[in-house]
Amino acid sequence: MSALENNDVVFMDLDFDRKHIWHPYSSLIDPPPVYPVARAEGVRLYLEDGRGLIDGMSSWWSALHGYNVPELNQAMRDQMDKMSHVMFGGLTHEPAIELCKKLVEITPPGLHRVFLADSGSVSVEVAIKMAIQYWHSQGKPQKSKLLALRNGYHGDTFGAMATCDPVTGMHHLFAGQLSQHLFAPAPQVPFGNTCSDSDIAELRQQVEANRDQLAAIILEPIVQGAGGMRFYSADYLRRVRELCDEHDLLLIADEIATGFGRSGKLFACEHADITPDILTLGKALTGGTMTLAATLCTDKVAEGICQGEAGVFMHGPTFMGNPLACAVADASIQLLLSGPWQERVTAIEQQLSEQLAPLKSAPGVADVRALGAIGVVEMREPVNTAKVQEALIERGVWLRPFGKLVYAMPPYVISKEDLSQLTSAMVDVLGEIS
């Protein structure tokens, strides 16, 4: 029983929080408001004062099943009774083996090797190191640059930051300290459309001009997330795969945000029916319960690395393969695949499309779009995040806008009624400020 249910509320020290705790992308001089969450259940976050908010963010794409999920809680309890952690160097355990079996089975064909890491950003670091070490092992150490896409976002660690858009990736302050990579224009062909040769001409030109120094192309398949919440053509992705094959480059697909059904396919690469050489996963891997990530690669990449000078892949996080995280990830995947996730995501897409459509005519709105369980309202000007959040909270909804974007990616288990409340709040609040 929770403190709220006991009527024995212990109020959080928000003054200490404001003065001492750094929240993501926030100032300690003039900190934005934070809202104290006492518990979470289903699709709702319950604040300390008892208000329940429909979580339209799935805790940044991760909580696909909602909160306080019995199957996931039980998986963690069962594993805790055995061991919460053991080093992965020289040891192994059943939760890691079972999780990796599932990942090899459900990801695009050919991704047979799995490296378990701590977080999404780290999985991108691992992918970059794999690509560079692969070419070093092939006697081509000069192939050490990456080609990334404008409007792309791959994480906040240094290797990942270097592949984010230098402008929209939020990391321009560190430009002088980052590895220098190449950038191609963001895909302009919308999802559902086919590409012409001209749509990929500049990307092709960069590949042909720099193939001797390029190790890989890195991209977010189909959905560019924090760089703009943009949905692009599956045909573009297919052509990138062909371009990599033609010019002997590796393809890194960052599915940290899109993995496990968010785009309407289990993995966004399936929209184009392609297999990358390296695939990164995170966020929803554990159903939003614990931090865990995975980087998968083909036999070609793994064997190429291990046949080289080092003979091993040069990476090994302390908490790699954490048994507790692996156990709950395994349970989350089982829960996802045993339910009607595709029908749920399709229904969410349809409802988001229909119910956000009235905003298309609002003068302050530039675009409204939906794909899978993602709904995006792009404003013409940046929104006042604190003000918009407060107005949404008054309507029982939790969203976190950034820049010009107000977007929703609710848990797949959300009811039609709760999703209607979420979209109604977005329409009301954004209509008022347009």
Side-chain angles (χ1 to χ4, degrees), residues 270-409:
E270 295 174 21
H271 286 286
D273 195 26
I274 61 112
T275 296
D277 299 286
I278 303 172
L279 174 74
T280 64
L281 302 174
K283 291 192 181 291
L285 180 56
T286 68
T289 57
M290 298 185 68
T291 182
L292 183 69
T295 306
L296 288 84
C297 69
T298 61
D299 293 339
K300 168 189 167 181
V301 172
E303 292 169 7
I305 288 170
C306 296
Q307 289 165 357
E309 174 189 342
V312 298
F313 178 52
M314 299 299 292
H315 201 81
T318 300
F319 286 93
M320 179 180 179
N322 173 260
L324 195 55
C326 289
V328 74
D330 185 50
S332 178
I333 294 171
Q334 287 188 55
L335 183 61
L336 177 68
L337 298 182
S338 65
W341 70 267
Q342 286 177 300
E343 291 88 341
R344 287 171 174 167
V345 169
T346 299
I348 290 170
E349 178 180 351
Q350 182 176 355
Q351 194 171 346
L352 287 169
S353 297
E354 292 174 355
Q355 294 180 353
L356 293 177
L359 286 170
K360 291 182 177 180
S361 58
V365 173
D367 190 35
V368 178
R369 50 190 180 268
L371 178 67
I374 311 167
V376 182
V377 180
E378 183 173 345
M379 308 299 289
R380 297 190 186 279
E381 301 292 336
V383 301
N384 183 323
T385 297
K387 184 177 179 180
V388 170
Q389 272 193 317
E390 184 178 1
L392 291 166
I393 286 171
E394 289 174 359
R395 291 163 172 81
V397 163
W398 175 253
L399 293 174
R400 186 169 175 81
F402 73 92
K404 299 177 182 179
L405 302 171
V406 183
Y407 61 102
M409 50 237 192

Side-chain angles (χ1 to χ4, degrees), residues 71 73-83 324 327:
E71 293 89 341
N73 291 350
Q74 191 61 51
M76 287 188 284
R77 290 190 196 100
D78 291 345
Q79 184 57 41
M80 285 170 64
D81 290 338
K82 300 173 185 176
M83 58 180 172
L324 195 55

Side-chain angles (χ1 to χ4, degrees), residues 128-137 305 310 312-314:
I128 293 169
K129 288 177 74 173
M130 281 183 177
I132 292 172
Q133 194 176 341
Y134 171 80
W135 288 113
H136 197 283
S137 297
I305 288 170
V312 298
F313 178 52
M314 299 299 292

